[in-house]
Amino acid sequence: MNNKRNLSMLSDFYEFTMANGYFNNGMKDTVAIFDAFYRSNPDEGGYSIFAGLNDIIDFIENLSFSDEDIEYLRKVGNFSDDFLDYLKDFKFTGDVWSYPEGSVMFPGEPIITVKAPIIECSILETYLLLSMNFNSLVATKTSRIVRAAGERLVMEFGSRRAQGADASLTGARAAYIAGAPVSSNTLSAKTYGFKPSGTMAHAWVQAFDSEYEAFKTYAELYPDNCILLIDTYDTMNSGLPNAMKIFKEVLEPKGLTGGVRIDSGDLAYLSKEIRKILDESGFTDTKIVASNSLDEFKINSLLSQGAQIDSFGIGERLITSKSDPVFGGVYKLVGIYEDDELKSKIKISENVEKITTPGFKKVYRLYDKNTGKAEADYITLRNEEVDENQPLVIFDPLFTWKMKKMDNYEARLMQEPIFENGKLVYKEPSIEEIHEYYQSEMESIWDEVKRFDQPHNYYVDLSQDLWNLKQNLILEAKRGQ
């Protein structure tokens, strides 16, 4: 989808101050390499799901500055006239590689790599991270919720609690990718081409003289999708009996069945009691839908108590990832070209996890051919090739004595080319294709990595040459101090 929306000024202001500095320091044509990656999985999980590439593509394709933008920058910043003139004809001319949307990803590995003049790299940063971080956050949260729900349908109900209109739209799309195929957000469904859904609010029930009348009117209007909200007044003594009357009077003569939704109270207890009464009354096909501030933790708890719930409507805790609402993606310089020769760059920190991995790199995912499962990710320098016909010894980058020999394996490159010399070369898949790819990705990951409680640590290893480069640059930086 390309909505032709120009968000080029959606950038941290320091990106423009640095760009002006690069320009006036003779670095306009200096080519740099940046990696976008993240440091830890939300909710102490074992994996994350990448989403947001579609918006990044749109941003890059529409990247330009209007006369109004340039005049604004002239007023608010100490920018040179030559730099502002340069912005008048600005466009992206570089290369981008990225994981496909729906990919399972792990901390520390380059998800998106940008190679371009350093000014272009800088101006991309804010929006690239914004899109990657938010969409991946929602996709990851949805993935966890869907896994907790098992075979039960998960519906995205979060638009009214999202952090703004854009978040509600793109969040519903990210949720679709990770297994929530139904959304209450009509505009998102229209924009991205999936199914909207929604029945009634408590206001519908309150608007009629009686609950029975409200239910009957609704059932006559929408007999094929009759989910009745039964907790407006009294779930067990009013809502459920009235719903069953409507099923008997309106739906059964048409050969149809309906459902009930509960949005308050003890969902585990109520759902079990409702199921018992429905079954005893002959409504064995009637579905029970539950909502009310649910997430994977509450769903796990409900199901462990024997809750009889067929599908879940998830709102605020999905769209905001309430339990861990920040996805910590970062964008770091890893190399710069001087006289056509790449000089690798590293950022040092007292926090080990914040030390970057330098150089122009690529990521292989290593699969055991016997099981079809992913065993580790393997980051190499760009000029290195993995020969699947030869054994490969991988080792933990921190605890280097931990080694594993790979024999019967497949090595798959994770990043795909997206832009080459500023031209889009990537054919964007449909949202259904992205979801199918996501499903295949999840099937390739061991259940131990996907569990919620103390997941197995999935290894992201460095090649020997890349590990050597990183250690040498750390030592050089320390000696320089």
Side-chain angles (χ1 to χ4, degrees), residues 217-238:
T217 304
Y218 192 89
E220 289 173 343
L221 285 169
Y222 307 109
D224 294 319
N225 184 32
C226 184
I227 307 296
L228 302 177
L229 182 60
I230 62 174
D231 69 336
T232 303
Y233 302 118
D234 188 323
T235 301
M236 301 305 299
N237 297 313
S238 172

Side-chain angles (χ1 to χ4, degrees), residues 135-172:
N135 288 283
S136 299
L137 179 73
V138 174
T140 302
K141 189 64 170 179
T142 304
S143 176
R144 291 170 58 86
I145 291 170
V146 170
R147 290 195 63 249
E151 299 299 318
R152 300 163 186 85
L153 174 67
V154 171
M155 298 171 284
E156 187 279 313
F157 282 1
S159 55
R160 65 187 57 193
R161 301 289 173 81
Q163 317 291 26
D166 283 349
S168 76
L169 293 174
T170 61

Side-chain angles (χ1 to χ4, degrees), residues 37-64:
F37 60 96
Y38 72 104
R39 297 190 176 108
S40 62
N41 295 310
D43 291 305
E44 298 182 351
Y47 69 97
S48 293
I49 303 299
F50 174 57
L53 177 61
N54 66 316
D55 284 340
I56 294 169
I57 289 173
D58 282 352
F59 178 79
I60 292 174
E61 287 201 293
N62 296 316
L63 194 53
S64 62

